[in-house]
Amino acid sequence: MLAGAVATAGRIAEGQAADDLRNGALAALPLAAGTLTGEIEKQRLVPLVLARDDAVRDALRRAGKVEETALDAKLKAIAGDASASAIYVIDTAGMAISASNAGQPDSFVGSDYNFRHYFTDAMAKGAASQYGLGTISGKPGLYLAGRVDDGGKPLGVAVLKVELGGVEANWRASGFLVFVTDERGVVLATSQPDWRFHALAPLSAADAAAAHDQLQLVEAAFDPLPIRRGAGDGLATIDEAGKSRRFVEVVQDLPGAVPGWRLWLLTPADTTLAAAANTARLTTLLGLLLMGLLAYVFTRRRRTRRLRQEALGRMNAELESRVSTRTAELTRSNTALAGEIAERENAEAKVRRLRDDLAQANRLSILGQIAAGVAHEINQPVAAIRTYAENAGRFLEAGRTEPANGNLTSIVSMTERIGAITSTLRTFARRPGVAASPLPVGEAIDGALSLLSGRIRDSGVTIVKPRGTTSPVVMASRIRLEQILVNLLQNALDAMKDRPDPRIEIDLAERGDRVLISVRDNGPGLGPDAATNLFMPFQTTKEKGLGLGLVISQEIAQELGGTLRLDPGTASGASFTIDLRRIE
């Protein structure tokens, strides 16, 4: 019975420890997945942008007739900025005509990639991805491809290869065992390098052939992983080098990275489970032994008390006096014991109160961090409200109700302004909808200025808003139009840093059925070379700029049925105009 109780306590504690480990693994799973998907999403846009690059299109039109030295250098620079393993361009015949590693021993230029699935799929569908082994480098990686078109005619494919070594290193540093499998259960990226290209279970002949073809592996055997899964307890056992280790296993699908991929995260469990089970067994054993000892003491005390009562019956008054004295001593002992119990309960209550106070302090600290940003923006309206309230009180004391009402109306306006500040920040953070709707342009301008009000105030820039009380209406998404305006205003603020008398003018004009929104600054302006390449990807005049802000803003304007252009012939500074269709 004693052994059974100890064993049961160990199993219960082991289950609770496994649940705790599983909760920790589930908490770490999104971070591990985010490390992978973030790396892939960071690179996914590059081949799509290159597919629209004029230099890439010109090179594909020449189809390898000349050496593309300038394009090679450009691809090398982009690969360095994007931390990509390689970027290369393939013509319609599958031949690489330019690459970021051109001129190196492992150059891709001149290699035939007609057999690669990412090439054939991109040519057919416009975009594709494939994980496989490099034919030249021999290193595995994920290939992201985008088709290059010219007026609807395919010219070739732009390809970026991203090796996931950095992601795998982050996984290893986390202390978890992490790996990714494809739709057939073949291990691709992993923190355990010798598991790569193994399988969760033995593959059928058809699946093995398909895996060889998809991954471009000729000699891989796709041996099963040394993992045995428990019977519904969420534990997996790994048998390697004559040792068996237990892990808590959690899994997550990764549709946002590559369709069919799944992320597995295994948490080492042997030490934790063994410690929990041993502690529970020892505690249970000590508890049972203590209960047995108490039962023995209680039984012995009852026997002693019976013998004492029998002796008391035979004793005289003197013995009765001694019994009374002994009873008093026992009473004092019990009182002292009760006092010790009460003292321990008080100490435990103090510990609980201290823990609650620390939790409350932590919550208040977090609340203060969140409130700091909003408090900075509404500090000025709050100060104005106080001034208006004090003035209204003086007017009322003097019997002047009309100016008092004016001050109260101003207070209402200030509260509405505070609401507008918080509403604008919340609205701008929300993901925009797909469909456009009728939008007064003035609302988008006010929203953009509200979002940048803190920076505008700190920089000392003068903002000149459009004149007039009416605002033309366009068919657009407010959040997307605000995004263009914020981008233009930020560029103007950057250009006028340390300039005397900085000034930004926002103007509205209507020409027929078009609405023109202009943003002008009196900064240093743009040189001829910068103006020529302004809307080309990765072209920027900023030291830390990526060169995609104006490209993205131009694409948003086109999606809204309009254009974004740099106004020529500006006397000083720079002037950009958003051209949108006006609606009645």
Short mmCIF file of all heavy atoms in Angstrom, two decimals, residues 394-450:
data_model
loop_
_atom_site.label_atom_id
_atom_site.label_comp_id
_atom_site.label_asym_id
_atom_site.label_seq_id
_atom_site.Cartn_x
_atom_site.Cartn_y
_atom_site.Cartn_z
N ARG A 394 -14.15 82.74 -13.67
CA ARG A 394 -14.05 84.18 -13.40
C ARG A 394 -15.19 84.94 -14.08
O ARG A 394 -15.76 85.88 -13.54
CB ARG A 394 -12.70 84.70 -13.88
CG ARG A 394 -11.51 84.11 -13.11
CD ARG A 394 -10.22 84.83 -13.48
NE ARG A 394 -9.08 84.21 -12.83
CZ ARG A 394 -8.27 83.36 -13.43
NH1 ARG A 394 -8.51 83.03 -14.69
NH2 ARG A 394 -7.26 82.84 -12.80
N PHE A 395 -15.51 84.53 -15.35
CA PHE A 395 -16.60 85.19 -16.06
C PHE A 395 -17.94 85.00 -15.33
O PHE A 395 -18.77 85.91 -15.27
CB PHE A 395 -16.69 84.65 -17.50
CG PHE A 395 -15.59 85.15 -18.39
CD1 PHE A 395 -14.97 84.28 -19.29
CD2 PHE A 395 -15.16 86.48 -18.33
CE1 PHE A 395 -13.96 84.73 -20.11
CE2 PHE A 395 -14.15 86.92 -19.16
CZ PHE A 395 -13.54 86.06 -20.05
N LEU A 396 -18.16 83.78 -14.81
CA LEU A 396 -19.41 83.52 -14.10
C LEU A 396 -19.50 84.33 -12.82
O LEU A 396 -20.57 84.83 -12.43
CB LEU A 396 -19.54 82.02 -13.80
CG LEU A 396 -19.79 81.12 -15.03
CD1 LEU A 396 -19.77 79.65 -14.62
CD2 LEU A 396 -21.16 81.47 -15.67
N GLU A 397 -18.36 84.47 -12.12
CA GLU A 397 -18.35 85.28 -10.91
C GLU A 397 -18.69 86.74 -11.23
O GLU A 397 -19.34 87.44 -10.45
CB GLU A 397 -16.98 85.19 -10.23
CG GLU A 397 -16.71 83.82 -9.61
CD GLU A 397 -15.30 83.76 -9.04
OE1 GLU A 397 -14.55 84.75 -9.18
OE2 GLU A 397 -14.96 82.71 -8.45
N ALA A 398 -18.24 87.18 -12.43
CA ALA A 398 -18.50 88.57 -12.82
C ALA A 398 -19.86 88.71 -13.49
O ALA A 398 -20.23 89.81 -13.92
CB ALA A 398 -17.41 89.06 -13.77
N GLY A 399 -20.61 87.63 -13.64
CA GLY A 399 -21.94 87.69 -14.26
C GLY A 399 -21.88 87.76 -15.77
O GLY A 399 -22.87 88.10 -16.41
N ARG A 400 -20.76 87.47 -16.40
CA ARG A 400 -20.60 87.55 -17.86
C ARG A 400 -20.81 86.14 -18.43
O ARG A 400 -19.87 85.36 -18.56
CB ARG A 400 -19.23 88.10 -18.21
CG ARG A 400 -18.99 89.48 -17.64
CD ARG A 400 -17.54 89.92 -17.88
NE ARG A 400 -17.26 89.99 -19.30
CZ ARG A 400 -16.01 90.18 -19.79
NH1 ARG A 400 -14.99 90.33 -18.95
NH2 ARG A 400 -15.81 90.22 -21.09
N THR A 401 -22.05 85.82 -18.74
CA THR A 401 -22.38 84.45 -19.18
C THR A 401 -21.93 84.16 -20.59
O THR A 401 -21.59 83.02 -20.93
CB THR A 401 -23.89 84.22 -19.05
OG1 THR A 401 -24.57 85.19 -19.86
CG2 THR A 401 -24.35 84.34 -17.61
N GLU A 402 -21.96 85.18 -21.46
CA GLU A 402 -21.64 84.91 -22.88
C GLU A 402 -20.18 84.46 -23.05
O GLU A 402 -19.92 83.43 -23.67
CB GLU A 402 -21.93 86.16 -23.71
CG GLU A 402 -21.66 85.92 -25.22
CD GLU A 402 -22.08 87.12 -26.05
OE1 GLU A 402 -22.72 88.04 -25.48
OE2 GLU A 402 -21.79 87.11 -27.24
N PRO A 403 -19.18 85.21 -22.52
CA PRO A 403 -17.80 84.69 -22.65
C PRO A 403 -17.61 83.39 -21.87
O PRO A 403 -16.78 82.56 -22.24
CB PRO A 403 -16.93 85.82 -22.10
CG PRO A 403 -17.87 86.67 -21.29
CD PRO A 403 -19.22 86.57 -21.90
N ALA A 404 -18.36 83.22 -20.74
CA ALA A 404 -18.24 81.95 -20.01
C ALA A 404 -18.70 80.79 -20.89
O ALA A 404 -18.07 79.72 -20.93
CB ALA A 404 -19.07 82.00 -18.72
N ASN A 405 -19.83 80.99 -21.62
CA ASN A 405 -20.29 79.94 -22.54
C ASN A 405 -19.26 79.67 -23.62
O ASN A 405 -19.05 78.53 -24.05
CB ASN A 405 -21.63 80.35 -23.17
CG ASN A 405 -22.77 80.29 -22.18
OD1 ASN A 405 -22.71 79.52 -21.22
ND2 ASN A 405 -23.81 81.09 -22.41
N GLY A 406 -18.60 80.72 -24.10
CA GLY A 406 -17.56 80.52 -25.11
C GLY A 406 -16.42 79.66 -24.59
O GLY A 406 -15.91 78.78 -25.30
N ASN A 407 -16.02 79.91 -23.32
CA ASN A 407 -14.95 79.08 -22.75
C ASN A 407 -15.40 77.64 -22.58
O ASN A 407 -14.64 76.70 -22.79
CB ASN A 407 -14.50 79.67 -21.40
CG ASN A 407 -13.51 80.80 -21.57
OD1 ASN A 407 -12.31 80.60 -21.54
ND2 ASN A 407 -14.03 82.01 -21.78
N LEU A 408 -16.65 77.43 -22.14
CA LEU A 408 -17.15 76.07 -21.98
C LEU A 408 -17.21 75.37 -23.33
O LEU A 408 -16.92 74.16 -23.45
CB LEU A 408 -18.55 76.09 -21.32
CG LEU A 408 -18.58 76.59 -19.88
CD1 LEU A 408 -20.02 76.68 -19.38
CD2 LEU A 408 -17.77 75.67 -18.97
N THR A 409 -17.60 76.10 -24.39
CA THR A 409 -17.59 75.50 -25.74
C THR A 409 -16.17 75.10 -26.14
O THR A 409 -15.95 74.05 -26.75
CB THR A 409 -18.16 76.51 -26.75
OG1 THR A 409 -19.48 76.88 -26.37
CG2 THR A 409 -18.18 75.90 -28.15
N SER A 410 -15.20 75.93 -25.78
CA SER A 410 -13.79 75.59 -26.08
C SER A 410 -13.36 74.34 -25.32
O SER A 410 -12.59 73.53 -25.83
CB SER A 410 -12.88 76.77 -25.73
OG SER A 410 -13.21 77.90 -26.50
N ILE A 411 -13.85 74.20 -24.08
CA ILE A 411 -13.50 73.00 -23.31
C ILE A 411 -14.04 71.76 -24.02
O ILE A 411 -13.36 70.74 -24.15
CB ILE A 411 -14.08 73.10 -21.88
CG1 ILE A 411 -13.31 74.18 -21.08
CG2 ILE A 411 -14.01 71.75 -21.16
CD1 ILE A 411 -13.89 74.44 -19.71
N VAL A 412 -15.30 71.84 -24.51
CA VAL A 412 -15.87 70.71 -25.27
C VAL A 412 -15.00 70.41 -26.49
O VAL A 412 -14.73 69.27 -26.82
CB VAL A 412 -17.32 71.03 -25.69
CG1 VAL A 412 -17.85 69.95 -26.62
CG2 VAL A 412 -18.21 71.15 -24.47
N SER A 413 -14.55 71.48 -27.18
CA SER A 413 -13.70 71.29 -28.36
C SER A 413 -12.40 70.60 -27.99
O SER A 413 -11.92 69.73 -28.72
CB SER A 413 -13.42 72.65 -29.00
OG SER A 413 -12.54 72.52 -30.09
N MET A 414 -11.81 71.01 -26.83
CA MET A 414 -10.55 70.36 -26.41
C MET A 414 -10.75 68.88 -26.11
O MET A 414 -9.92 68.05 -26.42
CB MET A 414 -9.99 71.08 -25.16
CG MET A 414 -9.47 72.47 -25.42
SD MET A 414 -8.04 72.52 -26.55
CE MET A 414 -8.87 73.07 -28.05
N THR A 415 -11.90 68.54 -25.44
CA THR A 415 -12.15 67.12 -25.16
C THR A 415 -12.33 66.33 -26.45
O THR A 415 -11.89 65.19 -26.56
CB THR A 415 -13.40 66.96 -24.28
OG1 THR A 415 -14.52 67.55 -24.94
CG2 THR A 415 -13.20 67.63 -22.93
N GLU A 416 -12.99 66.98 -27.44
CA GLU A 416 -13.12 66.30 -28.74
C GLU A 416 -11.76 66.11 -29.39
O GLU A 416 -11.50 65.12 -30.06
CB GLU A 416 -14.04 67.12 -29.66
CG GLU A 416 -15.50 67.13 -29.20
CD GLU A 416 -16.35 68.03 -30.08
OE1 GLU A 416 -15.76 68.78 -30.90
OE2 GLU A 416 -17.59 67.98 -29.95
N ARG A 417 -10.87 67.08 -29.18
CA ARG A 417 -9.52 66.95 -29.75
C ARG A 417 -8.76 65.78 -29.12
O ARG A 417 -8.08 65.03 -29.81
CB ARG A 417 -8.73 68.24 -29.51
CG ARG A 417 -7.30 68.18 -30.05
CD ARG A 417 -6.55 69.47 -29.80
NE ARG A 417 -5.16 69.36 -30.20
CZ ARG A 417 -4.25 70.29 -29.98
NH1 ARG A 417 -4.58 71.41 -29.38
NH2 ARG A 417 -3.00 70.10 -30.37
N ILE A 418 -8.92 65.66 -27.77
CA ILE A 418 -8.27 64.51 -27.11
C ILE A 418 -8.81 63.20 -27.68
O ILE A 418 -8.07 62.27 -27.98
CB ILE A 418 -8.50 64.59 -25.58
CG1 ILE A 418 -7.77 65.81 -25.00
CG2 ILE A 418 -8.02 63.31 -24.90
CD1 ILE A 418 -8.06 66.05 -23.54
N GLY A 419 -10.15 63.15 -27.83
CA GLY A 419 -10.74 61.94 -28.43
C GLY A 419 -10.22 61.71 -29.83
O GLY A 419 -10.00 60.57 -30.26
N ALA A 420 -10.04 62.79 -30.61
CA ALA A 420 -9.54 62.64 -31.98
C ALA A 420 -8.13 62.10 -31.99
O ALA A 420 -7.76 61.30 -32.86
CB ALA A 420 -9.61 64.00 -32.69
N ILE A 421 -7.30 62.56 -31.02
CA ILE A 421 -5.90 62.06 -30.96
C ILE A 421 -5.88 60.56 -30.75
O ILE A 421 -5.25 59.80 -31.49
CB ILE A 421 -5.12 62.78 -29.84
CG1 ILE A 421 -4.90 64.25 -30.23
CG2 ILE A 421 -3.79 62.10 -29.58
CD1 ILE A 421 -4.31 65.08 -29.13
N THR A 422 -6.62 60.10 -29.72
CA THR A 422 -6.62 58.65 -29.43
C THR A 422 -7.29 57.86 -30.54
O THR A 422 -6.86 56.77 -30.90
CB THR A 422 -7.31 58.39 -28.09
OG1 THR A 422 -8.64 58.93 -28.14
CG2 THR A 422 -6.56 59.07 -26.96
N SER A 423 -8.38 58.44 -31.13
CA SER A 423 -9.09 57.73 -32.21
C SER A 423 -8.21 57.60 -33.43
O SER A 423 -8.18 56.55 -34.08
CB SER A 423 -10.38 58.48 -32.54
OG SER A 423 -11.03 57.88 -33.64
N THR A 424 -7.46 58.65 -33.78
CA THR A 424 -6.61 58.60 -34.97
C THR A 424 -5.50 57.57 -34.80
O THR A 424 -5.20 56.79 -35.71
CB THR A 424 -6.00 59.99 -35.22
OG1 THR A 424 -7.05 60.93 -35.39
CG2 THR A 424 -5.15 59.96 -36.49
N LEU A 425 -4.86 57.55 -33.62
CA LEU A 425 -3.80 56.56 -33.38
C LEU A 425 -4.34 55.15 -33.48
O LEU A 425 -3.74 54.27 -34.07
CB LEU A 425 -3.18 56.80 -31.99
CG LEU A 425 -2.39 58.10 -31.84
CD1 LEU A 425 -1.96 58.28 -30.40
CD2 LEU A 425 -1.19 58.12 -32.75
N ARG A 426 -5.55 54.92 -32.90
CA ARG A 426 -6.13 53.58 -32.95
C ARG A 426 -6.54 53.20 -34.35
O ARG A 426 -6.34 52.08 -34.80
CB ARG A 426 -7.34 53.55 -32.00
CG ARG A 426 -8.01 52.18 -31.90
CD ARG A 426 -9.07 52.15 -30.82
NE ARG A 426 -10.13 53.10 -31.08
CZ ARG A 426 -10.32 54.23 -30.42
NH1 ARG A 426 -9.49 54.57 -29.45
NH2 ARG A 426 -11.31 55.05 -30.71
N THR A 427 -7.14 54.16 -35.12
CA THR A 427 -7.58 53.86 -36.48
C THR A 427 -6.41 53.58 -37.40
O THR A 427 -6.44 52.66 -38.20
CB THR A 427 -8.40 55.06 -37.02
OG1 THR A 427 -9.50 55.29 -36.14
CG2 THR A 427 -8.91 54.76 -38.41
N PHE A 428 -5.32 54.38 -37.25
CA PHE A 428 -4.17 54.19 -38.13
C PHE A 428 -3.48 52.85 -37.89
O PHE A 428 -2.92 52.26 -38.80
CB PHE A 428 -3.16 55.32 -37.92
CG PHE A 428 -2.07 55.34 -38.95
CD1 PHE A 428 -2.30 55.79 -40.24
CD2 PHE A 428 -0.79 54.88 -38.64
CE1 PHE A 428 -1.30 55.82 -41.17
CE2 PHE A 428 0.21 54.90 -39.57
CZ PHE A 428 -0.05 55.37 -40.85
N ALA A 429 -3.54 52.31 -36.63
CA ALA A 429 -2.91 51.03 -36.32
C ALA A 429 -3.71 49.86 -36.86
O ALA A 429 -3.20 48.76 -36.98
CB ALA A 429 -2.75 50.88 -34.80
N ARG A 430 -5.01 50.08 -37.21
CA ARG A 430 -5.86 48.99 -37.68
C ARG A 430 -5.50 48.64 -39.11
O ARG A 430 -5.18 49.50 -39.92
CB ARG A 430 -7.33 49.42 -37.57
CG ARG A 430 -8.32 48.30 -37.82
CD ARG A 430 -9.74 48.81 -37.70
NE ARG A 430 -9.99 49.38 -36.37
CZ ARG A 430 -10.45 50.60 -36.18
NH1 ARG A 430 -10.71 51.38 -37.20
NH2 ARG A 430 -10.65 51.05 -34.96
N ARG A 431 -5.57 47.36 -39.42
CA ARG A 431 -5.30 46.92 -40.79
C ARG A 431 -6.38 47.47 -41.72
O ARG A 431 -7.57 47.30 -41.48
CB ARG A 431 -5.29 45.39 -40.86
CG ARG A 431 -4.90 44.86 -42.24
CD ARG A 431 -4.93 43.34 -42.23
NE ARG A 431 -3.93 42.83 -41.32
CZ ARG A 431 -2.68 42.61 -41.64
NH1 ARG A 431 -2.28 42.85 -42.86
NH2 ARG A 431 -1.84 42.14 -40.75
N PRO A 432 -6.01 48.12 -42.87
CA PRO A 432 -7.03 48.72 -43.75
C PRO A 432 -7.84 47.67 -44.47
O PRO A 432 -7.37 46.57 -44.74
CB PRO A 432 -6.19 49.54 -44.73
CG PRO A 432 -4.87 48.85 -44.74
CD PRO A 432 -4.66 48.33 -43.35
N GLY A 433 -9.10 48.02 -44.78
CA GLY A 433 -9.95 47.13 -45.55
C GLY A 433 -9.57 47.14 -47.02
O GLY A 433 -8.79 47.96 -47.49
N VAL A 434 -10.13 46.23 -47.78
CA VAL A 434 -9.81 46.12 -49.20
C VAL A 434 -10.56 47.16 -50.00
O VAL A 434 -10.02 47.81 -50.88
CB VAL A 434 -10.14 44.70 -49.70
CG1 VAL A 434 -9.89 44.61 -51.20
CG2 VAL A 434 -9.32 43.67 -48.95
N ALA A 435 -11.87 47.39 -49.75
CA ALA A 435 -12.71 48.25 -50.57
C ALA A 435 -12.50 49.71 -50.18
O ALA A 435 -12.34 50.05 -49.02
CB ALA A 435 -14.17 47.87 -50.41
N ALA A 436 -12.51 50.61 -51.23
CA ALA A 436 -12.45 52.04 -51.00
C ALA A 436 -13.87 52.58 -50.81
O ALA A 436 -14.85 51.91 -51.11
CB ALA A 436 -11.76 52.73 -52.17
N SER A 437 -13.97 53.82 -50.31
CA SER A 437 -15.26 54.45 -50.06
C SER A 437 -15.09 55.95 -50.23
O SER A 437 -13.97 56.46 -50.24
CB SER A 437 -15.75 54.12 -48.65
OG SER A 437 -14.83 54.59 -47.69
N PRO A 438 -16.22 56.70 -50.42
CA PRO A 438 -16.09 58.16 -50.55
C PRO A 438 -15.41 58.77 -49.32
O PRO A 438 -15.79 58.49 -48.19
CB PRO A 438 -17.55 58.62 -50.69
CG PRO A 438 -18.26 57.42 -51.24
CD PRO A 438 -17.60 56.24 -50.63
N LEU A 439 -14.40 59.61 -49.56
CA LEU A 439 -13.59 60.13 -48.46
C LEU A 439 -13.28 61.61 -48.71
O LEU A 439 -12.68 61.95 -49.73
CB LEU A 439 -12.27 59.35 -48.35
CG LEU A 439 -11.22 59.91 -47.39
CD1 LEU A 439 -11.68 59.76 -45.94
CD2 LEU A 439 -9.89 59.22 -47.60
N PRO A 440 -13.67 62.50 -47.78
CA PRO A 440 -13.21 63.89 -47.87
C PRO A 440 -11.69 63.94 -47.67
O PRO A 440 -11.17 63.40 -46.68
CB PRO A 440 -13.96 64.60 -46.73
CG PRO A 440 -15.13 63.70 -46.43
CD PRO A 440 -14.66 62.32 -46.70
N VAL A 441 -10.99 64.58 -48.59
CA VAL A 441 -9.52 64.60 -48.53
C VAL A 441 -9.03 65.27 -47.26
O VAL A 441 -8.01 64.88 -46.68
CB VAL A 441 -8.95 65.30 -49.79
CG1 VAL A 441 -7.44 65.43 -49.69
CG2 VAL A 441 -9.35 64.54 -51.04
N GLY A 442 -9.78 66.28 -46.78
CA GLY A 442 -9.34 66.98 -45.57
C GLY A 442 -9.23 66.07 -44.37
O GLY A 442 -8.37 66.27 -43.51
N GLU A 443 -10.10 65.03 -44.29
CA GLU A 443 -10.02 64.11 -43.15
C GLU A 443 -8.71 63.34 -43.18
O GLU A 443 -8.08 63.12 -42.14
CB GLU A 443 -11.21 63.15 -43.20
CG GLU A 443 -12.55 63.81 -42.94
CD GLU A 443 -13.68 62.79 -42.90
OE1 GLU A 443 -13.38 61.58 -42.97
OE2 GLU A 443 -14.86 63.19 -42.77
N ALA A 444 -8.28 62.88 -44.36
CA ALA A 444 -7.01 62.15 -44.45
C ALA A 444 -5.84 63.05 -44.12
O ALA A 444 -4.88 62.63 -43.46
CB ALA A 444 -6.86 61.56 -45.85
N ILE A 445 -5.89 64.34 -44.58
CA ILE A 445 -4.80 65.27 -44.26
C ILE A 445 -4.73 65.51 -42.75
O ILE A 445 -3.65 65.47 -42.15
CB ILE A 445 -5.00 66.59 -45.03
CG1 ILE A 445 -4.86 66.35 -46.54
CG2 ILE A 445 -3.99 67.64 -44.56
CD1 ILE A 445 -5.18 67.57 -47.38
N ASP A 446 -5.90 65.76 -42.13
CA ASP A 446 -5.92 65.98 -40.67
C ASP A 446 -5.42 64.74 -39.93
O ASP A 446 -4.70 64.85 -38.93
CB ASP A 446 -7.33 66.33 -40.21
CG ASP A 446 -7.78 67.69 -40.72
OD1 ASP A 446 -6.90 68.50 -41.08
OD2 ASP A 446 -9.00 67.94 -40.76
N GLY A 447 -5.81 63.55 -40.38
CA GLY A 447 -5.35 62.33 -39.73
C GLY A 447 -3.85 62.18 -39.81
O GLY A 447 -3.18 61.81 -38.83
N ALA A 448 -3.25 62.44 -41.00
CA ALA A 448 -1.79 62.32 -41.15
C ALA A 448 -1.07 63.33 -40.27
O ALA A 448 -0.06 63.00 -39.63
CB ALA A 448 -1.42 62.51 -42.62
N LEU A 449 -1.56 64.58 -40.23
CA LEU A 449 -0.92 65.60 -39.38
C LEU A 449 -1.05 65.24 -37.91
O LEU A 449 -0.14 65.51 -37.11
CB LEU A 449 -1.55 66.97 -39.66
CG LEU A 449 -1.25 67.57 -41.05
CD1 LEU A 449 -2.03 68.85 -41.25
CD2 LEU A 449 0.24 67.82 -41.22
N SER A 450 -2.19 64.65 -37.52
CA SER A 450 -2.36 64.24 -36.12
C SER A 450 -1.38 63.16 -35.74
O SER A 450 -0.82 63.16 -34.66
CB SER A 450 -3.80 63.76 -35.91
OG SER A 450 -3.97 63.31 -34.59
#
